[in-house]
Amino acid sequence: AIDLLNAVDLRDQVGSYRVIVSNETPQLEEFTLCILQQNDCFNCDAPILDRPKVPVLTEWRGEPLTSRAAEQIFVGHLDHPSSHECVA
């Protein structure tokens, strides 16, 4: 996993994140927490965007969006071949 992380451009925080979540182990988690967050060894700054403002989804396929339906959408997205792994 360290070799994969080294292969990512230092400015690519998204690429680094993808490597980290795809190869997650307790040791890699501790290492990346140290270098990426606690010590900011790569001197990265990716501010949270305030645009676009996306309204909260309240309906899905013409029905009110329930917690169960939201979970099905989320799980269905994870099963899609183009989806990325996700940390829950």
Side-chain angles (χ1 to χ4, degrees), residues 36-71:
L36 297 177
Q37 293 180 4
Q38 292 173 342
N39 297 305
D40 192 20
C41 292
F42 297 144
N43 196 26
C44 292
D45 180 24
I48 297 174
L49 301 177
D50 59 356
R51 295 180 308 204
K53 296 274 187 206
V54 180
V56 175
L57 190 64
T58 58
E59 291 187 354
W60 179 253
R61 297 183 176 166
E63 299 290 328
L65 182 62
T66 63
S67 294
R68 175 76 179 132
E71 183 179 349

Side-chain angles (χ1 to χ4, degrees), residues 1-75:
I2 299 298
D3 290 336
L4 293 172
L5 196 55
N6 284 334
V8 176
D9 186 313
L10 295 178
R11 298 164 295 179
D12 187 357
Q13 288 176 289
V14 173
S16 296
Y17 177 77
R18 286 182 181 151
V19 169
I20 293 163
V21 298
S22 297
N23 299 279
E24 193 170 13
T25 65
Q27 296 83 7
L28 182 61
E29 181 180 351
E30 287 179 30
F31 174 74
T32 56
L33 177 64
C34 176
I35 66 165
L36 297 177
Q37 293 180 4
Q38 292 173 342
N39 297 305
D40 192 20
C41 292
F42 297 144
N43 196 26
C44 292
D45 180 24
I48 297 174
L49 301 177
D50 59 356
R51 295 180 308 204
K53 296 274 187 206
V54 180
V56 175
L57 190 64
T58 58
E59 291 187 354
W60 179 253
R61 297 183 176 166
E63 299 290 328
L65 182 62
T66 63
S67 294
R68 175 76 179 132
E71 183 179 349
Q72 289 176 330
I73 293 168
F74 179 71
V75 170

